[in-house]
Amino acid sequence: MTVKELIIENPNVSLDLMTPSGYVFLTPQNAQELLSGQDVSGNAGTSDSSIKIRAEELLSQEIVSINAKDNLFHILTESPCEPNWEMGVTMC
């Protein structure tokens, strides 16, 4: 399942994401804005750092694990693997 699919299936939950690009917290409103193509802010592991994460990058992340409690999902994601047919390998 991707982040996009999770948001569509669970529009009223908050998401606490640990991604390869950084940490992102999304309220239900932020998640809907992400679906509309708006980039989000995250952090690289420290509270004083802020990074921009592109909507298309985050929405395509594949979910590795979810810990759900009430209306808050703690999620670990990874980048989708892309096959490179010229080299005969899968790039992740």
Side-chain angles (χ1 to χ4, degrees):
M1 174 179 277
T2 65
V3 171
K4 180 178 181 176
E5 293 167 337
L6 181 71
I7 292 170
I8 291 170
E9 291 181 15
N10 300 277
N12 298 316
V13 300
S14 294
L15 306 176
D16 184 20
L17 299 134
M18 183 187 327
T19 77
S21 300
Y23 298 92
V24 179
F25 183 81
L26 299 173
T27 64
Q29 180 180 346
N30 297 136
Q32 294 306 309
E33 292 169 355
L34 182 70
L35 284 178
S36 72
Q38 291 184 24
D39 297 337
V40 295
S41 293
N43 73 67
T46 60
S47 60
D48 62 342
S49 67
S50 179
I51 56 174
K52 182 185 252 186
I53 301 176
R54 294 184 341 221
E56 63 187 40
E57 176 188 342
L58 186 54
L59 290 171
S60 68
Q61 294 282 315
E62 294 177 357
I63 295 172
V64 175
S65 69
I66 298 177
N67 181 358
K69 184 173 182 181
D70 300 321
N71 286 330
L72 176 61
F73 290 9
H74 298 280
I75 301 167
L76 174 64
T77 70
E78 66 183 8
S79 297
C81 295
E82 299 178 18
N84 184 330
W85 302 115
E86 291 178 13
M87 298 180 69
V89 296
T90 299
M91 306 286 285
C92 293

